[in-house]
Every structure is written in C-alpha cells, then in structure tokens.
Amino acid sequence: MATKDTAHAVDAAAVMKLLPARPRVLALGEPIHGEDTLLGLRNELFRQLVEREGYRWIAIESDCLMGLVVDDYVTSGTGSLDEVMERGFSHGWGAFAANRELVRWMRSYNDGRPASERLRFAGFDGPLEITAAASPRQALTTLHGYLATLVDADLLPCTTETLDRLLGADDRWTNPAAMMDPSQSVGQSAEAKQLRLLADDLVALLDAQTPHLIEATSRDDWDRARLYGRTAIGLLRYHYWMADPSPSRMTRLVSARDQMMAANLLAIAEQGPTLAHAHNGHLQRHRSTMRMGDVLAEWWGAGAIVSAHLGPEYAFLATALGTIHHHGVATPPSHTVEGLLYTFPEDHYLVDTRRLAAAFGDARPAPRVSSYYGYSPLDPVHLAGSDGIVFVKDVPQS
C-alpha cells in the first residue's frame, strides 16, 4: 500500500512543498474539538509560518467580536492575560492551556515590534453558541456610533433611540427556547425586519463614506466597523431563520453561520496571509452534512465558499486521528484511511493526499464509524478535496 514517502514532518516547509504557492488562507481543520494536543500542533505550525513564511494572522472558530479583545491584547497589551482568556473567547476556548499559550506567545512576539510586523488574532465565527445567538445590539450600536461621529447626522438612517426601541431587551434575542421552538424567536417580528433594513442602510453608508472614514480614523478602525456591519447583518439573518417553522430551517441556520464565517475569513485574508483553524466540517471544500433526527441538512461551509473566491490562494489541511481512548475511540480498522495511516510509526505527520490516493488505487477505503458524537472521521470519498492530511496517531486526554 502506502510508503513512507507519503508522510512528512508537520512543519511549514513540508506544508509549502505540497502547494503550488503560499496560500492567502491556509486552513487547518480538526475532527474533534477540545483537545490540547491538536491545539498545540496548530500553535507550532503557526510559529513556523510566522517565522519562515511571513504569516501575520491567525483566525480561529470563536466569536468574531470577542476576538477583538484578544487582538487588542496581543497587539498593544490592553488588559491582562487572565481577563483576555475569560472575555476574548467563545465556546469555552479560553479555558484551554494551548490557547492561553498561543495568546501569551503572540503578545511576547509583538512586544517592541512596529505595527506592520505585529501578529494579529481574529475570531471568525459569529456571536453564536449551540443553544442561542447573541443580540445584534453590540454590532448595530457600535457601527452606528462609529458613523455618527464622522458623517453628517442627516445621512444616518436612524437615531440611537430608534435602535434601542427596536432592539428592546436583549434577553428577547438570546432566549434559548428559540433554538428548538421557532415561535419563541423574535427574528421575524416587525421590529426585527425594520432592523434588517436599517443595518443594510448603515453598511451602505459605511461603504459610501470609505475614503473619508479611512482618512479621518484609520484603516484598522474602518475594518472593525466593517466587521460590526457584517455581524449585525449576519445575526439579524440568523435570527430571521430561527423564527422560520419550515423544514429547511436547520439548513438555513447552519448555512447562515458558515456564510458569516466565510465573510470574516475573506475580510481577514485581505489584510495578509492567514492560518485559519476550525472543525474540518467548516473548512472542507465539499458540501457539509449534518443529520438531526430525521432531518438531513446539506450546505456549503465556510471553506467551500472561501475556496470558490480565492481559488489556489486557499489551501485546506484536514486533520485525522487514530485513537481517542478517553472518548471510546479505539484503534481504527485496517480498511479505513485512518487504519492505514495508523500503521506508520510516527506520532504525528503530514500526509500527501495525492500519494495516498494513488496508494489506494482502485481499492476504495471504507468510511470509519465512530460511536462518539463529538468526533468526525474522514470521509474517504472526499480525500481529493484536501491538499494534505495531518494525522495524529493517539490523542491523550487533555
């Protein structure tokens, strides 16, 4: 079957040898969340990309607005490391030692460097959790406040008082019952529909005033205003579909989330080469699928969208695993992709997917089946959709 020519050390040089040119977005996926071993591999690859390939941005699957807290800390030392880990991450990511080490290292690297050489941090997920979505208040009011200080008042589509009245109490938006019961959502109320129009007008004004805004503030401030605009529109769209009772509701929701992720990644990529880290399902080039009961949702994920925009400037490395014993994931069967890769002696390595596909030839590997809901094995049908595979033989408990 495969030879050791298929496998290489997981380092920046080996990654670049797999690719025709340095990508603007190098996406590193993971098949399971919450394992410090995988986060540590990401950290080391990012260090090498910074030092050898000129990468300056890292973007992770975390709240894009909370991520600004981390970026302020790593670029200028705002706040303390403890505060940043508590307030700068969603999904519980701030509790992981490897994420703390990433932030600490970025701050240390940036200390004393000019702004043009500093590393930057971004969350590229929406302000969304599994059980609820955030109120659009922060995004809308911050965007409005930025514009109100810089453009004529008669150009603004509304006042802050109007926004406050239409938004109402934030707990109307964050009600966790709305995730399972569309009738509990305010996303299709008259007020929410009016807010969608106002958000569109505010973003249009931001675009129209671009030359003035950049000159009056800075490109960084303008970029952040764009982020608030994207987030306001994305959240209002997400809440709209939360209130939808049709069978396509879940597909609309997961698609809306990945649209937000893709828009954020594309905006980050405008500013420089970026390492993006998220679940394989968000970064893969083929369609994503998820079954909830009898409903099968299929949609294009963030990686597929970004790849369509950037072409060869997008690269995707999927991560595959051998065992995760603390979650009941035992040695993979020999007739799966993971089973073949498990026979190599190294603890972790980078796999050339073209050589791997050639090694299998006409013998199609079987998909691996896992009883653990939090782990997604590789789909062998889509091997060609990745530029490489990072394989980790055994994942110890964090």
Side-chain angles (χ1 to χ4, degrees), residues 251-335:
T251 296
R252 297 279 197 178
L253 286 174
V254 292
S255 180
R257 179 188 179 192
D258 270 280
Q259 281 180 276
M260 294 177 72
M261 297 175 84
N264 286 332
L265 268 184
L266 288 168
I268 296 162
E270 291 176 9
Q271 302 179 65
T274 302
L275 175 67
H277 187 248
H279 197 280
N280 285 335
H282 290 301
L283 298 176
Q284 64 198 18
R285 288 189 174 96
H286 53 275
R287 282 170 74 86
S288 299
T289 60
M290 178 175 65
R291 182 172 293 281
M292 297 189 69
D294 295 331
V295 178
L296 177 66
E298 294 185 275
W299 73 101
W300 293 108
I305 296 169
V306 174
S307 179
H309 280 275
L310 296 184
E313 290 195 291
Y314 180 81
F316 170 52
L317 303 177
T319 296
L321 307 177
T323 70
I324 324 169
H325 287 299
H326 53 284
H327 286 307
V329 180
T331 303
S334 59
H335 58 286

Side-chain angles (χ1 to χ4, degrees), residues 56-58 64-78 84 88-89 103 106-107 110 118-123 220 224 271:
R56 287 292 176 266
W57 282 86
I58 187 167
C64 56
L65 300 187
M66 295 177 79
L68 298 175
V69 173
V70 185
D71 191 52
D72 284 340
Y73 176 77
V74 300
T75 55
S76 59
T78 303
V84 167
F89 293 85
V103 175
M106 291 177 70
R107 176 69 205 121
N110 284 342
R118 290 176 194 155
L119 305 182
R120 303 293 299 273
F121 178 95
D220 259 2
R224 286 198 172 193
Q271 302 179 65

Side-chain angles (χ1 to χ4, degrees), residues 129-134 170-188 238-245 249-250 253 292:
E129 294 285 357
I130 293 173
T131 56
D170 284 346
D171 58 11
R172 297 166 63 239
W173 298 92
T174 57
N175 177 12
M179 181 53 71
M180 301 307 296
D181 182 0
S183 69
Q184 297 292 312
S185 172
V186 298
Q188 293 190 18
Y238 193 89
H239 280 289
Y240 181 89
W241 290 115
M242 282 185 78
D244 176 45
R249 176 179 185 261
M250 189 53 63
L253 286 174
M292 297 189 69

Side-chain angles (χ1 to χ4, degrees), residues 177-393:
M179 181 53 71
M180 301 307 296
D181 182 0
S183 69
Q184 297 292 312
S185 172
V186 298
Q188 293 190 18
S189 64
E191 293 86 355
K193 292 176 181 178
Q194 183 64 25
L195 285 168
R196 291 186 79 183
L197 294 173
L198 292 175
D200 183 70
D201 284 341
L202 287 167
V203 170
L205 180 59
L206 179 70
D207 290 341
Q209 295 288 319
T210 292
H212 163 62
L213 296 172
I214 292 176
E215 183 179 2
T217 57
S218 68
R219 181 168 288 272
D220 259 2
D221 288 343
W222 174 77
D223 275 324
R224 286 198 172 193
R226 291 172 69 207
L227 171 60
Y228 284 114
R230 289 193 305 274
T231 305
I233 287 175
L235 275 174
L236 287 164
R237 181 185 298 122
Y238 193 89
H239 280 289
Y240 181 89
W241 290 115
M242 282 185 78
D244 176 45
S246 76
S248 64
R249 176 179 185 261
M250 189 53 63
T251 296
R252 297 279 197 178
L253 286 174
V254 292
S255 180
R257 179 188 179 192
D258 270 280
Q259 281 180 276
M260 294 177 72
M261 297 175 84
N264 286 332
L265 268 184
L266 288 168
I268 296 162
E270 291 176 9
Q271 302 179 65
T274 302
L275 175 67
H277 187 248
H279 197 280
N280 285 335
H282 290 301
L283 298 176
Q284 64 198 18
R285 288 189 174 96
H286 53 275
R287 282 170 74 86
S288 299
T289 60
M290 178 175 65
R291 182 172 293 281
M292 297 189 69
D294 295 331
V295 178
L296 177 66
E298 294 185 275
W299 73 101
W300 293 108
I305 296 169
V306 174
S307 179
H309 280 275
L310 296 184
E313 290 195 291
Y314 180 81
F316 170 52
L317 303 177
T319 296
L321 307 177
T323 70
I324 324 169
H325 287 299
H326 53 284
H327 286 307
V329 180
T331 303
S334 59
H335 58 286
T336 64
V337 173
E338 290 92 342
L340 171 66
L341 297 178
Y342 197 78
T343 63
F344 288 13
E346 292 85 356
D347 291 333
H348 54 267
Y349 49 88
L350 177 69
V351 181
D352 184 332
T353 48
R354 290 166 298 185
R355 286 181 177 270
L356 183 63
F360 276 110
D362 294 331
R364 295 296 178 189
R368 186 183 190 182
V369 178
S370 170
S371 60
Y372 177 56
Y373 71 94
Y375 162 62
S376 301
L378 279 181
D379 185 342
V381 173
H382 299 298
L383 274 183
S386 64
D387 298 288
I389 296 171
V390 174
F391 185 74
V392 179
K393 195 166 188 177

